[in-house]
Amino acid sequence: MTSTRRTFLVGAAAAGAGSLLVGPGRFGRALAQEAGTLAFAAAGTVTSSWDPSSHTVAPQITAEGFVFSHLTKCPMTPENPAEVLPDLALEWKLIDPHTLEYKLRQGVKFHDGKDFKAEDVKATYEYASQPSRPASAWYPGQVEVEIVDDYTVRLRTEKFGYPALNFWYLSSFLPVLSAADVANPDLLKQRPNGTGAFRYEETRGDQIIFKAYDHYHDGRPKIDTVVWNYVPDANTRVLGLLNGQYHLAERLEPEQYASLKAEAAITTNRGLSSENKYLHFRCNKPPFDDVRVRMAAVHAIDRDQVLAIVGEAGQASNCHLSPVKFGYTDVPNYPKYDPEACQRLLAEAGFPGGQGLPELEYITSVGFYPKTREYGELVTALLQEQGFPVKLTTLEPAAWEERLYRRADGQGPGHIVDVGWITGSPEPDLVLRPNYHSKYALINGIADPEIDAALDKERNAASTEERLKVLQEEALPLLAAKVPSISLFSSVFLRAMSKRLEGVYFYPNGPIDLSKATLG
Amino acid sequence: MAFAFEFFLRRLSQGVVIVVLVAFVIFTLLRVVPGDPIRIILGPMTPASVLEETARALGLRDPILVQFGRFMGEVATGDLGRSFIRGLQGGSAGGSQDVAGYSPESRASVAGLIATALPYSLQLAGLGVAFALLVAFPIGIAAGLRAGRWPDRLGLYASSFFVSLPNIWVAVVLIFLLSAKAGLLPAIGYQGFAYTIIPAMVLAIELSPVMIRAISVAVAANLGEAYYDAGIVRGLSRRTMVARHVLRNAAVPLLNLFGAQMIGMLLGGLFVVEYIFSYPGIGMLTISAVFQRDFPVIQAVAILASGVLVAINMLVDFASTMIDRRLKF
């Protein structure tokens, strides 16, 4: 062995220098992206399957929004939440309570070149509504699709026992797949193939590349390429926007949004979402199996103070539905902050001043929704003030999600759980049935025959007018009276983008319409 | 040669024990903290019975010792397993999955993910250490040569200043100043070598205080040794003594410092810095894996990190022993 200090140091220096040469990079690349390329800083990313029926993941629904079209479009504005516009279907009508007919657009092609026809609608609807599909919870049940001709289909629900009207709004949410892909599940998983404004090009690590689709039925988009960058840290998204690496950043914190408002080169966007933030009570175990204790807790919470903490990221609403949902109304009996009522109800339930209540655990997350820890501490203090022995448990999202839903034995951890519920259609049952019908009650475990009856009644209504009436006059007031959960506020999505980006439409559940956008 | 053989045999056997212990601790901790990965793999809407069935099929419900034994058996054959979460293309993913269509083979191999990310981290670490040395050598040597005078105080103040700057804050400030305001350098993600410079600066600021103090102390200590005075008395110039003897003799504690402290600091720094810069290296891979409860990735990175620490310490000790045979191993 003849090594010396000199040879060792020379070798070490060479190894260090060699490591600098790794990678394809070179110094001095411009910060700006290529012309016509939009760099999107996304807070989330997709699953490993591109089959839209395989997941309920919000970021993937946003990604699918670039690639897939739907039969209809619902802009979901607070002014007109029930508005339905044509997309792949040009006309639609209810033939009878169990049959909904769509006339389809002609001359549309999938990204792989296949012509869009009625067979694709049949394959998509019959496949996605199968109870075995992971995303089937979005749909009221199975559906049969009759092909009248190549460009006319009829959705039939009679065999499955619910009205076809339930698909009225859901048709703006279910991405239309190619029948050839549905027949080949492996291909369906590998890449998305739709008729939307952008086609999927490739995935490079945490980047997904979409290219403008030349034959898009509403005209080729002006933006050539969309690069989806998964950037989990909100500060990094903002800094990337400021230095010009990104053109669009989503899910900003209220403070970031406020500071970006002052930037000359940045436009901010504040949009009411289809998400409400809830506190669910575990209703199938003491003490919240008693409606009086639930109502007492709700009367202890001052939602105005909660909103003051949430700031720009929230909007007041007195309803278990978001204002962009069909059926939303300012529910007259929605519980308000009322410490006296709280004390009275606690005493009636046998817990005067909170005495005798077990220790209660309030579970919330940090790092996904804005300000959950901050308002969690406030709500805990408000409940403690009225005598509820509450302990706040703050968990990072993966651990929180693991504790969120009820388990095999029907019980869920803790007593109060904070969660947001976001869905991409005005359809109210996407919120109401999974959360409040005893068949599901995924989080709170409520089993109340009156609530079940009201939810079944609104679902089975023969017309939208009748359904609206049942929702607003029966189902929603009943939920406000029984409070299996309390909706604290409606979420507002905070985004920011380069001033050069114009003509973007943001859907309230996340998807972004860039088909008419320009990047000056 | 016999010395080298004996050295590596003994240290390798010790190193394997350390790596296995670290692997066991990480493996156990991952399974006792809240957060069941099966709910992330299959999604919140999946029926509880299916969750349990798949968890059993994946071996997630076996006793921890059984799981650990199986895992180490696979590692011994060079198989680090497959990610619970990431698809074959390596894209980070989470949330609901298709239960019927789920198979571990549809997920990325952990070894592949690490092989893709490692070169980026090596590049960042190499540049960070180089920057740190560029700062620490002149300040540290000057401080050591003039102990008690202003260069010494400069070294003390500089290292105290750097050590009190949180790397998260430094990262955000440097991105804001150098990238967002001045437009000199890109900062987020990786599309070329220039994307490594600002993150490397942050790493250098974190590493340099320890280097400055170690260099100045080692140099000052050698100046106080008898051999230094003897050299001067025998007519060697101060410059020659410093360049040829003091710096060489000061190298041993520096090497030890590099093995014992710097690699640990570097690994910790990489995790934070890569996350803030969305830099696609091992740190980013690991942080994402922790958030997503991607056990196979976390375990593999922990084994890799402890293996690297053991190996570096072994090499440093070997080099030190080669430099100064009086040292024991």
Side-chain angles (χ1 to χ4, degrees), chain A residues 275-312:
Chain A
E275 175 186 87
N276 275 17
K277 282 302 302 288
Y278 302 89
L279 290 183
H280 281 279
F281 302 104
R282 303 284 194 199
C283 301
N284 55 350
K285 66 178 173 184
F288 290 126
D289 55 348
D290 185 334
V291 64
R292 292 169 298 186
V293 182
R294 299 200 294 269
M295 190 57 87
V298 168
H299 282 313
I301 300 169
D302 184 353
R303 288 185 292 123
D304 290 341
Q305 286 191 55
V306 173
L307 262 177
I309 288 175
V310 175
E312 297 266 28

Side-chain angles (χ1 to χ4, degrees), chain A residues 13-25:
Chain A
S19 74
L20 297 182
L21 301 177
V22 173

Side-chain angles (χ1 to χ4, degrees), chain A residues 136-142 157 160 162-163 166-167 170 429-430 433 439-440 459:
Chain A
S136 64
W138 297 135
Y139 309 109
Q142 277 186 265
T157 61
F160 306 105
Y162 65 91
N166 280 241
F167 271 97
L170 286 174
D429 275 359
L430 293 176
R433 290 185 84 80
K439 197 173 158 192
Y440 309 99
R459 189 185 81 157

Side-chain angles (χ1 to χ4, degrees), chain A residues 22 205, chain B residues 89-90 109-121 280-282 285:
Chain A
V22 173
Chain B
Q89 290 164 314
S109 91
V110 173
L113 288 171
I114 289 176
T116 306
L118 191 59
Y120 294 105
S121 292
I282 292 284
L285 179 71

Side-chain angles (χ1 to χ4, degrees), chain B residues 221-252:
Chain B
N222 273 279
L223 289 182
E225 293 278 337
Y227 79 84
Y228 178 77
D229 295 331
I232 297 290
V233 168
R234 290 180 186 186
L236 291 176
S237 67
R238 177 180 161 88
R239 181 187 293 267
T240 308
M241 279 307 294
V242 168
R244 293 204 172 175
H245 301 285
V246 171
L247 292 184
R248 284 185 178 190
N249 285 322
V252 173

Side-chain angles (χ1 to χ4, degrees), chain A residues 94-100 155 157-158 162-166 460-462:
Chain A
L94 202 61
I95 305 270
D96 63 55
H98 295 101
T99 311
L100 186 55
L155 309 189
T157 61
E158 187 166 19
Y162 65 91
L165 200 58
N166 280 241
N460 295 330

